[in-house]
Amino acid sequence: MVSEHPDASDGETAALALKILVAGGFGVGKTTLVGAVSEIRPLRTEELLSEAGQLVDDTDGVDQKVTTTVAMDFGRITIRSGLSLYLFGTPGQDRFWFLWDELSQGALGAVVLADTRRLEDCFPAVDYFEHRHIPFVVAVNCFAGARAYGAQDVSRALDLDQGTPVVLCDARDRDSGKEVLIRLVEYAGRMHTARLLDSVG
């Protein structure tokens, strides 16, 4: 989603708002990332994990998690004057994936959060964005106690297309999250420009 609205004063460039998705597996830190970087109070749709949900939600490695997103998270961050990002955090469980198609409409790109303790959990998100040609970066959320892997190791393990950025981050830290978003905007901008040039060439 790219939306423009005029600034209050005449003669200044219109402000730009870009839609970004934050995706990944269950318990990887999507809600945490949106909350850490948002300059407004984030909208959250979290519910307590139920006994019924234990039958379908794999909580191995995230035993302390007691809530889950059931629709989306929403936040906003201003990257620089005239450029804001609207952040939409997707639910991680399979049964909520019907929401992804709606949330991805008009998105500039996506952040796929990964946890090296459960790296396989982000394969569905990677496949989703690759098949729909939505630019994305993989952001490895560095959990305490998890074995450290380099960006190249993660890229090979996920069999990412050449050039897909992999960055290490701390989803709890605003500056770290903002760097991830800047990398995504830069990468998505290059990808969209290349496609535009291909289409007119």
Side-chain angles (χ1 to χ4, degrees):
M1 174 180 66
V2 179
S3 62
E4 295 184 1
H5 55 85
D7 285 337
S9 57
D10 293 335
E12 293 187 15
T13 58
L16 192 63
L18 305 174
K19 181 179 183 180
I20 301 295
L21 299 187
V22 179
F26 176 67
V28 78
K30 301 179 295 293
T31 298
T32 300
L33 177 65
V34 172
V37 301
S38 181
E39 63 198 17
I40 62 172
R41 182 178 179 184
L43 168 68
R44 294 178 172 156
T45 57
E46 289 196 304
E47 295 292 340
L48 290 172
L49 290 172
S50 65
E51 289 186 16
Q54 290 176 355
L55 300 174
V56 290
D57 294 332
D58 179 10
T59 58
D60 283 347
V62 287
D63 307 30
Q64 304 303 314
K65 187 171 175 60
V66 295
T67 62
T68 185
T69 299
V70 296
M72 68 172 187
D73 299 310
F74 174 77
R76 186 190 72 212
I77 179 174
T78 300
I79 297 296
R80 59 172 169 74
S81 177
L83 176 60
S84 297
L85 304 182
Y86 291 157
L87 308 175
F88 291 82
T90 66
Q93 301 98 309
D94 297 6
R95 65 185 184 278
F96 295 125
W97 279 2
F98 67 92
L99 295 168
W100 284 41
D101 287 338
E102 290 295 325
L103 291 173
S104 65
Q105 289 293 320
L108 174 77
V111 173
V112 176
L113 271 177
D115 177 354
T116 56
R117 300 170 302 177
R118 298 158 52 104
L119 197 57
E120 67 279 0
D121 288 0
C122 71
F123 272 110
V126 167
D127 289 343
Y128 182 91
F129 297 121
E130 282 184 345
H131 287 132
R132 286 160 181 79
H133 306 290
I134 297 174
F136 67 95
V137 301
V138 173
V140 180
N141 192 7
C142 299
F143 287 90
R147 183 177 169 188
Y149 291 92
Q152 287 292 90
D153 296 327
V154 173
S155 182
R156 282 192 296 270
L158 294 176
D159 193 25
L160 298 176
D161 291 340
Q162 187 174 5
T164 302
V166 177
V167 295
L168 307 182
C169 75
D170 181 344
R172 302 165 299 179
D173 182 77
R174 177 180 171 82
D175 290 336
S176 181
K178 187 174 180 178
E179 282 301 314
V180 170
L181 296 172
I182 290 171
R183 284 288 300 276
L184 171 62
V185 170
E186 291 172 345
Y187 175 65
R190 292 195 301 269
M191 294 293 290
H192 285 293
T193 299
R195 290 172 187 168
L196 181 61
L197 291 174
D198 285 344
S199 68
V200 298

